[in-house]
Amino acid sequence: RSSFNILPNDIVLIMVAGFRPQKDQDTIIRSLLLLPDNVKLVLVGDGERKTICEKITLDLGLEDRVIFTGVRYDVERLLKMSDVSIVSSHWEGFGLVAVEGMAAGLPVIASDGSGLREVVSNAGLLFMAGDENDLADKVRKLLNNSSLYNEVKSKCYLRSKKFSIDSMVDKTINLYCSLQKVKLFNK
């Protein structure tokens, strides 16, 4: 935290994603206007929309609260220094970064859209895509209620186990076995 000038009483939100049209860092940046000044945002990644997001940050006067790290190879360390993982996206195939946040022991807040909904629902919190008011409300609920924070954090960590490599290997083997049985019976 100290290498990013994050103070001990600061709350750190993190989003790990390329700055592409699919992703929606803009909504998280705007949500900071609705959150206390000690809430900071770490944006990890690079891409075509990064300069747009940097301009939004400057235009809103949030340059002291938003940290653009660029591409990093120590994402697990950045997740561990954070308090909440956010996945804000217009669309998503599968929410791998949500699972990574969960596996790091963070509560996850994600856009309510297909791909993310299936991963996060009933573990983390979902907000209406593009709605900084709804996102800020979800962040405040977590930060103002330690039992809710701990409950969501625990549910997210347990959910991440569903997507562990061991679990996925077992599911793949079971799928192949069931397909082989179907093939045998259809001969």
Side-chain angles (χ1 to χ4, degrees):
R1 285 182 173 230
S2 61
S3 64
F4 294 109
N5 296 319
I6 296 171
L7 302 174
N9 67 332
D10 286 340
I11 303 297
V12 179
L13 310 178
I14 188 168
M15 179 165 167
V16 180
F19 288 83
R20 299 183 303 272
Q22 163 191 359
K23 304 301 180 182
D24 184 22
Q25 289 92 344
D26 312 34
T27 296
I28 307 174
I29 295 168
R30 289 191 314 268
S31 77
L32 289 178
L33 293 172
L34 306 167
L35 294 166
D37 290 342
N38 71 322
V39 177
K40 307 291 167 82
L41 172 60
V42 174
L43 294 172
V44 181
D46 205 358
E48 63 193 80
R49 295 198 70 258
K50 184 177 178 187
T51 55
I52 294 167
C53 290
E54 289 170 333
K55 182 172 179 356
I56 292 169
T57 300
L58 288 172
D59 290 347
L60 296 176
L62 294 169
E63 58 274 6
D64 61 331
R65 295 178 61 196
V66 180
I67 300 160
F68 293 87
T69 69
V71 174
R72 297 289 295 232
Y73 298 99
D74 60 346
V75 172
E76 69 284 346
R77 289 181 63 207
L78 298 178
L79 288 168
K80 290 291 185 184
M81 74 167 203
S82 302
D83 298 294
V84 178
S85 177
I86 299 179
V87 185
S88 183
S89 184
H90 297 293
W91 70 89
E92 205 68 45
F94 173 73
L96 179 60
V97 73
V99 174
E100 290 170 343
M102 292 173 172
L106 295 176
V108 172
I109 303 174
S111 302
D112 188 3
S114 65
L116 289 171
R117 183 182 308 118
E118 292 76 13
V119 172
V120 176
S121 186
N122 298 316
L125 302 178
L126 296 168
F127 71 97
M128 190 177 302
D131 186 341
E132 65 267 17
N133 292 299
D134 192 25
L135 173 57
D137 183 53
K138 298 297 190 297
V139 171
R140 277 192 301 274
K141 282 181 181 175
L142 281 180
L143 300 181
N144 293 331
N145 185 335
S146 61
S147 61
L148 176 64
Y149 180 92
N150 289 326
E151 177 187 342
V152 172
K153 178 179 170 178
S154 177
K155 284 181 176 180
C156 283
Y157 183 73
L158 290 173
R159 174 66 56 82
S160 75
K161 298 300 181 192
K162 178 180 175 182
F163 300 101
S164 72
I165 189 72
D166 292 334
S167 175
M168 297 310 288
V169 167
D170 289 344
K171 288 177 184 175
T172 302
I173 290 170
N174 289 337
L175 175 64
Y176 282 132
C177 288
S178 68
L179 291 173
Q180 185 61 35
K181 288 177 187 174
V182 169
K183 185 178 177 185
L184 289 172
F185 290 121
N186 288 335
K187 279 190 171 183

